[in-house]
Amino acid sequence: MFKPIIAAMLLWASLFASLAAGAPSGSPASPSPSMLPPESKVDRDARMKWWREAKFGMFIHWGVYSVPAGVYDGKPIGGIGEWIMNRGKIPVARYAQYTKQFNPVKFDADRWVKTAKYAGMKYIVITSKHHDGFAMFHSKTSPYNIYDATPFKRDPLKELAAACKKQGIKLGFYYSQAQDWHHPGGAAAGGHWDKAQDGSMDKYLKDVAVPEIKEILTNYGPVAVLWFDTPKDMTKERAEMILPLLKLQPGIIWNNRLGGGYKGDTETPEQHIPPQGFKDRDWETCMTMNGTWGFKKDDHNWKSVETLLHNLIDIASKGGNYLLNVGPTSEGLIPEPSVERLGEIGKWMKVNGEAIYGTTATPFTQPLAWGRCTKKVDDAGATLYLHVFTWPTDGKLTVPGIKNEAEAAYLLADTEKKPLATKATDGGGLTIDLPATAPDPISSTIVLRVKGELDINQPPAPPPQPDKKPAKGKKKQKQS
Ligand code: FHN
């Protein structure tokens, strides 16, 4: 008599646990040594080194959803483009019809990589399979893939892997391990809407997710990142069906969305920047440039270059990485507004990249009135990069509380490094004399080199806050 109640409670508990696993805080154990080889801190730091220095990457959401591009049966479907199948409750067979129209002949892997590189991005993470269950690679596991099910007959991930290798940029794969709205047994947020989706999740994991992940980790050369997502219904046992596959790529970095309580290497705040970053955890904010990850033809809600650059700097100043999304079209093109913005970011990065790559978080515990700070510390002292968003009208930049002796100060945009005068102020801190106009209207960088270990007179840092998604509709990012 009590059995159904207990079963329901257990189901609820496991559902709650799996959903919570998507949240960065509170997830318990790291992988057990029996699943992955044990790793010392030194080895871990070596594995994470390139990623920590990279700071800026390109997220690519590309799939069959770029064909309907937000419109089903002549009606616009609300929400993010790659969710159209779920939001529109499109039957499995009907959605699969879009594959026949998916022929992205304008796809040029070299051009995509060039666009990312020009913007100053150091790595790419692309959807190898999103929640719609469609593999964007030539899978031998399921015929529901871009090679076998479309007129395209090419493997874009192979081409992208070759282009990344040629141009010296790291490549990672996103893989939706739990949600799969095509293959029977795959999870679906809100539940299945088509009988064709019903089945055993364990069987789906065994017959689809595990072999496909094995394929992407075997057939595409070095895979820098594996990006799991929405661990719906992922119990510890289910996560452990996937975990050993990571051994196929010993240097791989994986995120915190596998589920089953596994924390992975990185926290992944989405569409927001946690006010104080994360303590003792690597993290990466992923963000769209407009309002969708996958292409939607009617979404013109683009963020301005200023917003995007300020986000990048803000994230770096808090110790994180920025994974900025593009959603290519069904023709295989990165939308022009994205390319334009990436070009502008690239111009800024050419001048100011030194103040982003390889930096660590600000040493200041309080917000800086004029902008943000990143730093590089060495045995002899520290280099502070002062990112000035608001150029002081009185020509004096105040650096609060810093007690170290200033060795040099100059504009990063000034190739001659003409010294800027500095003056210690009473009670700690210093001022830097600036030219009347800012070299860059969005953010200008002052390099401040100081001697010795950083010594700043300031209140202690506030205790770290749990990462919280801002409430819907609150604090919208400025669009262009
Ligand atoms: O449901 C997905 C969404 O489509 C997109 O892929 C983002 C990117 O982080 N992740 C999920 C929502 O958290």
Side-chain angles (χ1 to χ4, degrees), residues 13 40 46 69 99 131 144 147 149 153 160 168 201 207 211 220 226 257 287 299 323 329 368 437 474:
S40 68
T99 61
H131 310 331
Y144 199 53
Y147 192 92
K153 297 276 168 279
L160 210 50
M201 183 158 178
D207 294 347
Y220 297 88
L226 188 55
R257 299 191 188 189
M287 213 180 258
D299 189 331
L323 189 63
T329 66
L368 297 162
T437 51
K474 263 200 172 170

Side-chain angles (χ1 to χ4, degrees), residues 13-14 16-32 231 234-236 239-240 243 254-265 267 280-281:
S14 84
F16 183 78
S18 67
L19 287 174
S25 55
S27 317
S30 289
S32 72
M234 288 294 289
T235 57
K236 186 169 184 290
E240 288 178 356
L243 207 50
W254 53 293
N255 69 351
N256 63 336
R257 299 191 188 189
L258 172 62
Y262 286 101
K263 290 172 73 169
D265 293 309
E267 299 295 324
D280 303 328
R281 286 284 286 161

